[in-house]
C-alpha cells in the first residue's frame, strides 16, 4: 500500500511555513526521527492517492481506519498537504473514527494553537458525545483561553453545560472561576444555564471536596455581580450562601445596593 517514494520534510517545510506559520514545522521537527519518517511515508501515500483521483479526506479516513495507532502521523502528513484545512481534515477523522477524537484534537491544537476556538467548535459539532474530553484536552493545551473554550462549548452544545463546567473545573481548577465569570460576561443569554451548571457542579463537589476549585471572595463577588446583571435572582443565589461559598454581606452588596 505504501509508496517507496519518501518526501524530504525539510525541503517541504518552507512552503507550509508561508501559509500556516511555523507551528506545524516546529512541532514535527521536535518529534523523534522515526516519527518524522512515518510522516514522510504517509505524506507520500496521500500524494500517490491524489494522483489516482482519491481526495485527501478519503485517503486520511482510510488510513486512520486501518492504522489508528498512527493517527498523529497521518494527520500531520495530511496537514502538510493542506495546512489551511486542519479543521476540515480533523473533522473528517472524528466523524469516521469517533474513538480517535481526543487524539485528533490533541494533534490539531498542537500545530494550530491560534485556531483553538475553531478546532474546539469543530470537534464538538463532529462528536458531541466526547464533549467532556474535548473541553479537557483544550483546557490542558490552552488554560489561558479557558473562558473562550467554555463559551464556545456552551454556545455549541448548551444542553451539555453541566458537563462542560465540570470538565473545565477539573481540568484547569486554577483558571476555572475567572474564566467562568468571563464566559458569562461574553454570553449573557446563557447566564442562567451556566448558573445552574455551576450550582450542580458545586453540589456534586460537596461529596468530593478535593474537586472544588480554589476561589476567593473577590471572585465570588464578581460572579454574583455578573449573575445578577444576567437575570439570576437573589433567591437563586441563596444556595451558595447556605453552603458557605458566599456571605449575606456579599449578596446584600449586590442585590440591595443596586449594583
Amino acid at each position: 500500500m505504501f509508496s517507496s517514494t519518501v518526501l524530504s520534510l525539510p525541503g517541504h517545510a518552507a512552503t507550509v511555513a508561508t501559509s500556516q506559520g511555523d507551528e506545524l514545522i516546529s512541532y514535527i521537527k521536535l518529534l523523534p526521527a522515526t516519527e518524522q519518517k512515518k510522516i514522510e511515508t504517509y505524506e507520500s501515500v496521500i500524494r500517490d492517492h491524489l494522483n489516482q483521483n482519491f481526495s485527501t479526506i478519503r485517503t486520511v479516513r482510510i488510513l486512520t481506519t486501518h492504522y489508528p495507532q498512527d493517527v498523529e502521523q497521518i494527520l500531520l502528513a495530511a496537514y502538510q498537504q493542506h495546512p489551511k484545512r486542519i479543521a476540515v481534515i480533523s473533522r473528517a477523522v472524528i466523524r469516521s473514527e469517533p474513538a480517535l477524537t481526543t487524539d485528533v484534537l490533541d494533534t490539531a491544537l498542537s500545530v494550530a494553537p491560534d485556531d483553538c476556538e475553531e478546532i474546539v467548535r469543530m470537534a464538538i459539532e463532529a462528536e458531541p458525545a466526547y464533549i467532556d474530553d474535548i473541553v479537557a484536552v483544550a483546557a490542558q493545551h490552552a488554560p489561558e483561553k479557558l473562558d473562550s473554550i467554555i463559551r464556545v462549548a456552551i454556545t455549541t452544545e448548551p444542553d451539555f453545560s453541566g458537563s462542560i463546567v465540570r470538565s473545565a473545573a477539573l481540568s484547569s481548577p486554577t483558571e476555572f472561576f475567572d474564566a467562568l465569570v468571563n464566559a458569562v460576561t461574553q454570553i449573557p443569554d446563557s447566564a442562567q444555564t451556566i448558573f445552574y451548571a455551576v450550582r450542580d457542579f458545586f453540589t456534586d463537589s460537596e461529596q468530593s471536596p478535593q474537586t472544588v476549585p480554589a476561589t476567593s471572595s473577590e471572585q465570588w463577588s464578581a460572579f454574583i455581580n455578573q449573575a445578577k446583571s444576567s437575570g439570576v435572582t437573589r433567591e437563586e443565589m441563596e444556595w451558595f450562601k447556605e453552603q458557605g461559598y458566599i456571605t449575606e454581606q456579599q449578596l446584600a452588596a449586590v442585590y440591595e445596593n443596586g449594583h
Side-chain angles (χ1 to χ4, degrees):
M1 180 178 181
F2 293 126
S3 166
S4 60
T5 303
V6 178
L7 298 178
S8 171
L9 184 61
H12 188 59
T15 302
V16 177
T18 59
S19 58
Q20 179 62 26
D22 296 332
E23 290 90 353
L24 178 56
I25 298 306
S26 297
Y27 182 78
I28 292 174
K29 284 182 177 179
L30 292 174
L31 297 175
T34 54
E35 298 300 300
Q36 293 190 36
K37 190 69 173 179
K38 274 190 178 182
I39 295 167
E40 293 176 5
T41 301
Y42 280 121
E43 189 171 11
S44 180
V45 172
I46 293 170
R47 288 167 65 90
D48 285 349
H49 280 208
L50 286 174
N51 291 334
Q52 298 172 38
N53 294 321
F54 278 66
S55 70
T56 299
I57 296 298
R58 182 181 177 189
T59 301
V60 169
R61 281 176 169 172
I62 292 171
L63 289 173
T64 52
T65 297
H66 287 86
Y67 307 102
Q69 72 279 7
D70 290 343
V71 60
E72 180 183 23
Q73 294 80 28
I74 295 167
L75 284 171
L76 291 173
Y79 294 163
Q80 288 197 99
Q81 289 289 319
H82 302 286
K84 292 184 179 180
R85 303 187 70 198
I86 288 176
V88 175
I89 294 168
S90 301
R91 180 188 293 112
V93 176
I94 291 173
R95 285 181 172 171
S96 64
E97 298 291 332
L100 299 177
T101 297
T102 55
D103 296 312
V104 173
L105 192 69
D106 186 56
T107 303
L109 289 174
S110 293
V111 301
D114 293 340
D115 297 335
C116 180
E117 290 186 28
E118 178 189 2
I119 291 170
V120 168
R121 183 179 294 106
M122 170 278 300
I124 293 172
E125 289 175 346
E127 191 51 64
Y130 280 79
I131 197 166
D132 286 359
D133 294 329
I134 292 167
V135 171
V137 171
Q140 290 162 10
H141 270 271
E144 75 284 358
K145 296 180 181 178
L146 188 61
D147 56 341
S148 296
I149 294 167
I150 293 172
R151 172 179 55 78
V152 168
I154 288 177
T155 54
T156 304
E157 283 290 342
D159 290 343
F160 288 87
S161 295
S163 294
I164 293 164
V165 166
R166 180 175 181 79
S167 185
L170 297 180
S171 302
S172 195
T174 302
E175 294 83 5
F176 166 68
F177 215 72
D178 284 337
L180 184 73
V181 173
N182 289 338
V184 174
T185 303
Q186 295 165 16
I187 46 174
D189 290 347
S190 300
Q192 289 212 338
T193 298
I194 296 174
F195 165 79
Y196 285 113
V198 172
R199 192 176 70 177
D200 289 345
F201 169 70
F202 276 92
T203 299
D204 293 341
S205 296
E206 293 295 308
Q207 307 302 318
S208 304
Q210 70 273 14
T211 66
V212 178
T215 53
S216 67
S217 60
E218 291 79 10
Q219 289 174 313
W220 277 110
S221 292
F223 178 73
I224 298 168
N225 269 294
Q226 191 55 50
K228 178 179 181 291
S229 66
S230 301
V232 177
T233 67
R234 174 169 180 156
E235 289 70 27
E236 289 173 317
M237 291 297 300
E238 285 287 333
W239 182 89
F240 291 99
K241 185 187 77 172
E242 293 168 1
Q243 301 304 314
Y245 293 112
I246 59 178
T247 66
E248 174 62 29
Q249 290 75 17
Q250 286 176 297
L251 277 178
V254 174
Y255 283 94
E256 294 181 12
N257 295 345
H259 290 187

